[in-house]
Amino acid sequence: KATTAMKYMLLSKIMQNRPQETSPILSSKSGLKYASPGIDAMAAIATALTERNLKKFEQVRGQFKSQIDEDAIIAYHLDDLNETLLEQNILRILEPFSRVEIEHVAELVELPLPRTQAKLREMILDGKLNSTLDQGVGVLIVFDREQVRSTYGNDENHY
């Protein structure tokens, strides 16, 4: 039970976006006492997340598949984390562009084109990405975030 509690403690640090805090836990006396493949998996995931490396994150998931998939809670949260990491990578990649080929985005993210298109569509519909897909041409058109003035909102209070 202590090993499971340790895995959940590491998962909580990872999900709170504080993966750097897992290293001191693992190197402590009690951390070394409960070393196991499941703990090693969580440590490798924390390292990949610290580096913000999606490819390494997915490699670790493949390498420790049995340890991760044996616990439904950990598997669910790491799937969610994978999607969040993918979104952050896409947003970072798209920053310098106002118009970019979808195929080029797929190459930069190192994902298949259909998966990239699906994720871009999801991000647009969720309002996480202010852009439009022109699939006829195979281009993503990125819009600047509009600043909404509070002028009109303040007028309502004066009537």
Side-chain angles (χ1 to χ4, degrees), residues 56 68 72 78 127:
K56 186 174 180 179
I68 292 169
L78 292 183

Side-chain angles (χ1 to χ4, degrees), residues 3-80:
T3 305
T4 304
M6 178 80 126
K7 282 197 306 192
Y8 288 145
M9 183 167 49
L10 296 173
L11 178 66
S12 71
K13 295 291 184 188
I14 289 168
M15 295 307 294
Q16 292 173 3
N17 203 17
R18 298 186 334 212
Q20 66 279 3
E21 293 180 17
T22 59
S23 190
I25 294 169
L26 292 168
S27 59
S28 69
K29 185 177 177 183
S30 59
L32 295 171
K33 182 178 174 182
Y34 299 110
S36 70
I39 301 294
D40 293 342
M42 298 306 288
I45 285 170
T47 302
L49 189 60
T50 301
E51 297 171 6
R52 295 198 164 282
N53 188 334
L54 180 64
K55 192 164 185 86
K56 186 174 180 179
F57 181 84
E58 290 176 346
Q59 287 173 345
V60 169
R61 296 265 334 246
Q63 180 183 351
F64 291 100
K65 186 165 177 45
S66 62
Q67 288 85 3
I68 292 169
D69 290 346
E70 73 185 15
D71 190 323
I73 295 169
I74 290 175
Y76 172 80
H77 285 290
L78 292 183
D79 285 343
D80 187 46

Side-chain angles (χ1 to χ4, degrees), residues 9-10 21 35 39 48-49 60 62 65 78-79 83 86 88-89 112 114 117 126 129 132 145 148 154 158:
M9 183 167 49
L10 296 173
E21 293 180 17
I39 301 294
L49 189 60
V60 169
K65 186 165 177 45
L78 292 183
D79 285 343
E83 292 301 309
L86 175 57
Q88 289 173 349
N89 277 359
Q117 286 176 323
D126 289 347
L129 183 60
T132 186
R145 289 266 178 215
V148 179
N154 290 339
H158 297 292

